[in-house]
Amino acid sequence: MGEEVTEKPVSADSGPTDCSKAEVNGEKADGGVKYYSLEDVKEHNLSNDTWLIIHDKVYDITSFLEEHPGGEEVLLEQAGADATESFEDVGHSKDAREMLESYYVGELHMSDRKQETTKQFMDPMVDTCSGGSYRRRHVSLLFLRTQVLLRDFTLLQAHLGALEMFDQTFCKLNTHS
Ligand code: HEM
């Protein structure tokens, strides 16, 4: 293990035009972005060659293992795999997210991406790529909507009460006249 990824740059005329057509094994699509398949990433599961996938991005974190404040072990457990969930479960800081950039090597191939993750990327409500924050946002939105509905319902009840009072007063006036 620990072998190099074969990088075969694609020439402009023969190369794929979008990442869904890009071939695997670190092949470049237009724009110079490299795409790796899940199988490619799996090969980098050693302590001297450690890759991770977080939010469909591929990171070579070999040099970071010893620096990780959460310890080397937790990273090695995820070596060569998708660590998005564990990364988000810990609730890493903004600093930790920014650190990721230094280890970026490419993108996970479109065909290996999970539906849910792709949806998070496309959802304009999401300002981070965090699955946790996606869920939290939806729960709080649901909470807000329930509050609005309850408020509307209370207003409606008050409105109906007022109408009833108006009707009663009007009827009394009519009976007296
Ligand atoms: C390459 C990706 C990662 C980076 C750059 C990173 C970075 C960091 C940083 C900077 C901290 C300090 C606290 C903070 O600022 O949030 C931290 C803490 C931690 N990380 Fe990571 N981390 C990565 C991946 C992971 C993964 C995949 C796991 C779990 C499997 C993990 C588990 C932890 C834990 C448990 C702590 C807490 C340590 C503590 O508070 O005692 N990290 N990480």
Side-chain angles (χ1 to χ4, degrees):
M1 287 307 256
E3 66 195 73
E4 284 277 324
V5 165
T6 332
E7 290 178 7
K8 291 177 261 169
V10 179
S11 70
D13 37 349
S14 67
T17 50
D18 76 24
C19 48
S20 61
K21 289 177 197 156
E23 286 176 35
V24 295
N25 251 14
E27 197 139 340
K28 286 180 184 177
D30 281 356
V33 179
K34 287 181 191 171
Y35 286 85
Y36 297 96
S37 72
L38 214 49
E39 286 303 312
D40 296 328
V41 180
K42 266 184 200 165
E43 287 172 22
H44 304 266
N45 63 355
L46 300 173
S47 58
N48 64 350
D49 178 23
T50 318
W51 285 21
L52 284 186
I53 301 162
I54 296 174
H55 291 300
D56 298 334
K57 298 196 182 301
V58 182
Y59 300 97
D60 178 351
I61 54 151
T62 317
S63 61
F64 177 67
L65 289 176
E66 286 178 15
E67 291 169 35
H68 183 225
E72 193 171 345
E73 277 307 307
V74 286
L75 296 183
L76 286 172
E77 276 169 23
Q78 308 286 325
D82 192 326
T84 309
E85 219 174 306
S86 353
F87 182 81
E88 291 303 342
D89 283 351
V90 173
H92 281 93
S93 64
K94 191 167 173 266
D95 281 352
R97 288 166 199 281
E98 282 170 5
M99 283 170 77
L100 282 175
E101 285 170 30
S102 345
Y103 307 103
Y104 175 83
V105 288
E107 300 285 322
L108 182 64
H109 196 278
M110 284 296 180
S111 58
D112 282 335
R113 292 185 184 198
K114 291 182 195 150
Q115 197 75 38
E116 198 195 358
T117 321
T118 313
K119 201 173 130 212
Q120 284 164 22
F121 264 130
M122 287 157 58
D123 194 321
M125 294 294 299
V126 183
D127 59 0
T128 70
C129 298
S130 141
S133 96
Y134 178 80
R135 274 190 294 275
R136 275 194 294 279
R137 270 162 179 274
H138 278 268
V139 169
S140 53
L141 265 181
L142 202 69
F143 182 68
L144 273 175
R145 279 179 191 143
T146 314
Q147 278 189 318
V148 170
L149 278 175
L150 280 173
R151 196 204 58 197
D152 285 353
F153 185 68
T154 319
L155 278 177
L156 185 73
Q157 269 188 322
H159 212 77
L160 286 173
L163 272 176
E164 205 172 326
M165 273 173 60
F166 178 81
D167 276 352
Q168 279 169 359
T169 321
F170 191 68
C171 285
K172 273 183 203 157
L173 283 176
N174 270 352
T175 336
H176 288 303
S177 60

